[in-house]
Amino acid sequence: LCISFFFSVPVESSEFCISVYSLFYNHLKNIEESEGGLDKFTKSYKTFGVNQLADGGIYCKEWAPGAEAVFLAGDFNGWNPFSHPYKKLEYGKWELLIPPEDGQSPVPHGSKLKVVIRAQNGALLYRISPWARYVVRDEDKVNYDWVHWNPPQSYIHKNPSPKRLKSLRIYESHVGIASPEGKVASYKNFTYNVLPRIKDLGYNCVQLMAIMEHAYYASFGYQVTSFFAASSRYGTPDDLKEMIDVAHSMGITVLLDVVHSHASKNSEDGLNQFDGTDSCFFHSGYRGTHQLWDSRLFDYANWEVLRFLLSNLRMWIEDYRFDGFRFDGVTSMLYHHHGIGTGFSGDYNEYFGLHVDEDALCYLMLANHMINTLHPECITIAEDVSGMPALCRPVAEGGGGFDYRLAMAIPDKWIQIIKELKDEDWNMGNIVHTLTNRRYEEKYIAYAESHDQALVGDKTLAFHLMDAEMYTNMSVLMPLTPVIDRGIQLHKMIRLITHALGGESYLNFMGNEFGHPEWLDFPRIGNNESYHYARRQFNLTEDDLLRYKFLNAFDRDMNKLEERFGWLASPQAYVSEKHEANKVIAFERAGLIFIFNFHPYQSYVDYRVVAFKYKILLDSDAGEYGGHQRLDHNTEYFSEEFPHNYRPNSIMIFIPKTFMWVKGVFLHAWVHCYTLTPANKLHL
């Protein structure tokens, strides 16, 4: 398998692939020989840090190669920095065993701790263990405190994880903003108020952002300080476990947005300078700092860094029952240039060569191999803008091992079209090309917009389309203006064509399904620490006097239709028409026919399309979606034996413009009464 893959690309690329695969194989072999296997190696979260023993004692272990001495201090010993010294082991490791006291733990649950490092210059450094499970920050403090988490009774999961899904419909979520109120929302709120909404909308997967602890809330969770700690600003670890368990009871898969591409530069409550040196977990010097993100970069060639990161994944799966991961910043990991100032045209020279970080790529292969071996039901997603070939092919083929990659060109294309082109200049071929341009047999997650487009400084699709009128003209008591009418109809069309044509999975960021009227901006100095924009106004969909309910209903029924017919798990669509003059796109997928009219003003009374028999299943012109109700949904229509677009049967249909003002748009999906044979003939 490896040979067949390697020789499908130029010789230089083949040599590179062989080199990376050899590195992966050697790492795996060394782990087997030196650590007793991948299973044992990645369970290190059970021995490193501070862990409770069965007899009530405490076992502590750290990796601090630059330290001269290591101690444990905390509430349990009156913060004496020298009373509990660690014993030095080989390879920069340190351990400490604290015996039980009268059969009880010497370190009570909820007490505060610090690892005390004597640096090479003699300074005493008070640090949070890199393996800490729970850190909190008091309101009157700047830095986080490490709190020993060992409750008498931890939350016990009651529901099994859902079976691996064929069609992923992902609801990208942030727990802290998941409330209409201007505050940091909780795991409990998400469990009992948001999960039912997600289920009702037809999403079967939740992707959780900003769970790994981060000191700066406005970093959106991408400046991680404690990799093994679930963020305490939303509640306790048990609250998160309950949230995931309830999601599983609803049949919802839960993914973690994992950040292994970089780490916060914080040292008091982060990994930076943990042992007093500028290296330890990171590259030293210039290579160890991301110039744009102002963060530290992991040394993926380091044995203990591999232990730390792989064990981190294992902990989130086994302790919290996450069903997989969306790996953030994969492009930054893959290349020494981190994608900064680099464009990717698709030429193989851009993906194979000395500019690729082989150690980082090898780590990703190890991570996916571990997950696939030990937890094959789990899903992994790569956030890669470069288009690295074979990133989503099995490791056994020499690939990166991911199940999916994000189709990051699609949201950029929609924003470009809306911002730069007049309605009459939309190019149907270019739209279809962007939605279908993906590497063969690699699965893509399509999305019209994610959290990136919701952030302050950018605009969501709804804001691009309707802008200030969203504040004044979204009431059904107000006349339907051209801007609002056009915006509502295009919002539905863009989302459905992306859903149906753009990939093998679909993603939406919370609130965007109903055209959330405001951007997302976390409390910070620049906005006077305001929470006004750090929230999601779900209440808008529940007000019958507002038009947001139309978009919400369409999004729900779009997902429910996919659940019924499974187009995301079907082969890529057959596009039968992309007519530039008529601005019509038509395609077939999963036995459905999708037809989109993007013409600025033209309706079509007798428009010929490929079909044998059809019945309307989803109509953006329907009243419940804010349309103009000009089509009869109770009629079945039959075609004639008239060849059209390489199909023997077709039909003449009416395609109206969906709104009555500036631009006409229309879409339908029709149920099939035929199957396609290899000869492309139609049969009843």
Side-chain angles (χ1 to χ4, degrees):
L1 286 176
C2 297
I3 294 174
S4 66
F5 166 74
F6 293 145
F7 285 93
S8 65
V9 296
V11 174
E12 296 81 0
S13 304
S14 302
E15 294 174 349
F16 174 86
C17 294
I18 293 171
S19 173
V20 174
Y21 192 85
S22 297
L23 185 63
F24 159 78
Y25 178 80
N26 289 333
H27 273 315
L28 207 57
K29 182 180 178 182
N30 290 336
I31 289 172
E32 293 290 336
E33 294 175 351
S34 304
E35 298 283 349
L38 193 63
D39 182 23
K40 184 178 179 181
F41 184 60
T42 57
K43 280 184 177 177
S44 295
Y45 68 91
K46 295 187 175 182
T47 54
F48 278 74
V50 173
N51 290 278
Q52 187 82 41
L53 298 177
D55 65 357
I58 292 289
Y59 179 72
C60 312
K61 194 173 185 178
E62 298 294 345
W63 177 62
E68 290 294 318
V70 179
F71 309 89
L72 185 69
D75 294 336
F76 79 101
N77 66 359
W79 291 97
N80 186 326
F82 305 117
S83 65
H84 288 77
Y86 283 66
K87 176 185 175 182
K88 188 172 185 179
L89 305 176
E90 291 183 301
Y91 310 114
K93 299 187 185 74
W94 303 78
E95 71 173 359
L96 167 65
L97 177 62
I98 309 177
E101 298 175 356
D102 299 325
Q104 301 296 316
S105 172
V107 181
H109 166 66
S111 60
K112 293 181 180 180
L113 296 170
K114 282 290 177 92
V115 175
V116 182
I117 304 287
R118 179 183 288 151
Q120 294 174 356
N121 62 4
L124 284 183
L125 308 174
Y126 286 77
R127 298 290 191 245
I128 292 176
S129 170
W131 305 78
R133 300 295 192 88
Y134 190 53
V135 296
V136 299
R137 181 172 63 188
D138 296 332
E139 290 185 4
D140 59 341
K141 291 186 177 180
V142 174
N143 296 322
Y144 275 75
D145 290 317
W146 172 21
V147 174
H148 181 53
W149 184 260
N150 184 37
Q153 182 63 51
S154 294
Y155 183 86
I156 299 174
H157 294 268
K158 305 176 183 64
N159 300 283
S161 298
K163 293 182 179 180
R164 191 180 178 96
L165 298 168
K166 293 182 178 179
S167 295
L168 275 179
R169 299 182 298 276
I170 303 170
Y171 198 77
E172 186 183 33
S173 305
H174 186 292
V175 171
I177 66 170
S179 166
E181 301 177 63
K183 64 178 184 180
V184 178
S186 66
Y187 294 123
K188 293 283 188 181
N189 167 73
F190 200 92
T191 301
Y192 297 107
N193 295 324
V194 183
L195 283 177
R197 175 182 293 274
I198 294 170
K199 179 67 175 177
D200 178 67
L201 283 168
Y203 291 94
N204 56 15
C205 180
V206 175
Q207 179 181 301
L208 293 175
M209 310 173 62
I211 295 297
M212 302 167 77
E213 190 61 271
H214 47 292
Y216 185 41
Y217 189 42
S219 75
F220 223 142
Y222 291 122
Q223 293 280 347
V224 176
T225 46
S226 292
F227 284 74
F228 286 82
S231 181
S232 61
R233 54 172 53 87
Y234 318 128
T236 69
D238 281 351
D239 292 340
L240 175 58
K241 291 177 181 179
E242 180 190 26
M243 188 180 88
I244 295 171
D245 193 35
V246 171
H248 287 166
S249 74
M250 298 178 178
I252 297 174
T253 294
V254 185
L255 304 180
L256 174 67
D257 196 347
V258 69
V259 185
H260 283 182
S261 51
H262 64 130
S264 168
K265 289 183 73 174
N266 286 21
S267 57
E268 294 291 330
D269 51 10
L271 290 184
N272 192 26
Q273 298 183 348
F274 172 68
D275 65 352
T277 70
D278 77 331
S279 53
C280 197
F281 290 93
F282 311 110
H283 290 289
S284 62
Y286 179 83
R287 189 180 176 188
T289 302
H290 196 292
Q291 300 305 310
L292 290 184
W293 297 345
D294 193 31
S295 54
R296 298 306 311 274
L297 297 173
F298 287 105
D299 179 2
Y300 301 104
N302 189 293
W303 191 260
E304 294 305 319
V305 171
L306 292 179
R307 183 196 306 276
F308 180 79
L309 295 177
L310 292 173
S311 297
N312 186 234
L313 298 174
R314 188 89 182 269
M315 186 277 295
W316 288 113
I317 294 173
E318 296 182 348
D319 270 19
Y320 287 90
R321 302 290 179 87
F322 277 98
D323 303 303
F325 305 97
R326 178 261 199 190
F327 281 74
D328 176 69
V330 169
T331 303
S332 176
M333 298 173 69
L334 289 175
Y335 308 98
H336 293 299
H337 54 62
H338 308 299
I340 300 173
T342 304
F344 295 92
S345 66
D347 188 287
Y348 278 120
N349 292 321
E350 297 168 349
Y351 307 110
F352 306 107
L354 296 178
H355 54 287
V356 177
D357 190 333
E358 293 186 10
D359 294 318
L361 179 54
C362 180
Y363 161 68
L364 293 172
M365 294 169 70
L366 282 168
N368 282 307
H369 174 75
M370 179 202 73
I371 293 168
N372 188 56
T373 301
L374 301 177
H375 294 280
E377 72 281 2
C378 286
I379 297 164
T380 60
I381 301 167
E383 189 225 15
D384 170 43
V385 71
S386 75
M388 168 68 82
L391 193 63
C392 297
R393 295 301 301 163
V395 172
E397 295 181 11
F402 286 97
D403 296 299
Y404 296 89
R405 71 197 311 160
L406 292 171
M408 302 183 73
I410 295 176
D412 291 342
K413 176 56 64 175
W414 286 124
I415 297 300
Q416 179 208 359
I417 289 172
I418 294 171
K419 287 176 61 176
E420 299 178 7
L421 299 179
K422 298 178 181 178
D423 290 351
E424 57 268 26
D425 293 333
W426 286 29
N427 186 294
M428 301 298 101
N430 188 248
I431 291 173
V432 169
H433 173 75
T434 302
L435 290 170
T436 58
N437 181 29
R438 45 193 186 266
R439 295 195 179 279
Y440 181 63
E441 292 194 346
E442 294 195 50
K443 295 180 180 179
Y444 280 63
I445 296 176
Y447 59 105
E449 51 185 340
S450 68
H451 69 273
D452 289 327
Q453 288 73 40
L455 289 172
V456 65
D458 203 342
K459 287 184 178 181
T460 62
L461 283 175
F463 241 129
H464 274 295
L465 291 167
M466 295 177 277
D467 210 47
E469 287 203 21
M470 296 188 74
Y471 294 112
T472 58
N473 296 313
M474 286 296 280
S475 170
V476 297
L477 302 178
M478 299 287 292
L480 186 62
T481 68
V483 170
I484 295 298
D485 197 11
R486 173 180 179 268
I488 286 177
Q489 312 313 332
L490 277 179
H491 195 272
K492 292 179 290 186
M493 290 185 67
I494 288 171
R495 300 176 80 75
L496 180 58
I497 197 171
T498 301
H499 201 309
L501 190 59
E504 290 72 36
S505 177
Y506 177 75
L507 178 142
N508 165 66
F509 178 66
M510 62 189 312
N512 286 353
E513 69 274 6
F514 62 86
H516 197 280
E518 292 176 337
W519 55 87
L520 179 61
D521 189 14
F522 288 89
R524 54 189 174 85
I525 295 176
N527 63 14
N528 295 318
E529 303 294 338
S530 171
Y531 283 86
H532 179 74
Y533 295 109
R535 60 193 179 115
R536 297 281 92 178
Q537 299 180 64
F538 295 120
N539 54 298
L540 296 176
T541 66
E542 298 158 5
D543 190 334
D544 282 339
L545 296 180
L546 296 178
R547 293 187 167 97
Y548 296 104
K549 64 179 181 180
F550 299 137
L551 298 178
N552 195 72
F554 184 82
D555 198 79
R556 178 194 63 225
D557 291 350
M558 173 178 70
N559 283 322
K560 295 295 177 67
L561 190 66
E562 196 288 325
E563 183 176 12
R564 178 179 170 189
F565 289 96
W567 61 67
L568 290 171
S570 299
Q572 189 163 317
Y574 173 78
V575 181
S576 59
E577 184 160 342
K578 42 186 176 181
H579 202 295
E580 297 301 340
N582 295 337
K583 302 300 180 190
V584 170
I585 295 173
F587 58 88
E588 306 162 20
R589 193 176 187 188
L592 300 176
I593 298 175
F594 297 81
I595 300 175
F596 297 79
N597 177 12
F598 285 102
H599 201 284
Y601 50 83
Q602 183 66 57
S603 295
Y604 301 101
V605 177
D606 292 312
Y607 199 91
R608 186 170 295 279
V609 296
V610 172
F612 194 89
K613 173 185 175 183
Y614 77 85
K615 182 178 181 179
I616 296 171
L617 289 179
L618 187 63
D619 175 16
S620 68
D621 198 40
E624 61 264 36
Y625 310 136
H628 299 285
Q629 309 179 64
R630 285 163 293 178
L631 293 167
D632 183 359
H633 290 201
N634 298 315
T635 304
E636 289 188 344
Y637 303 89
F638 293 85
S639 69
E640 57 184 319
E641 293 186 7
F642 190 98
H644 182 69
N645 287 339
Y646 305 102
R647 293 288 200 257
N649 292 73
S650 61
I651 196 167
M652 301 287 281
I653 63 170
F654 169 50
I655 307 181
K657 55 184 179 182
T658 300
F659 63 93
M660 308 301 293
W661 307 86
V662 180
K663 178 183 175 71
V665 292
F666 168 77
L667 72 88
H668 280 151
W670 287 285
V671 67
H672 75 87
C673 285
Y674 63 84
T675 57
L676 292 178
T677 68
N680 288 330
K681 293 183 179 179
L682 300 176
H683 299 271
L684 282 173

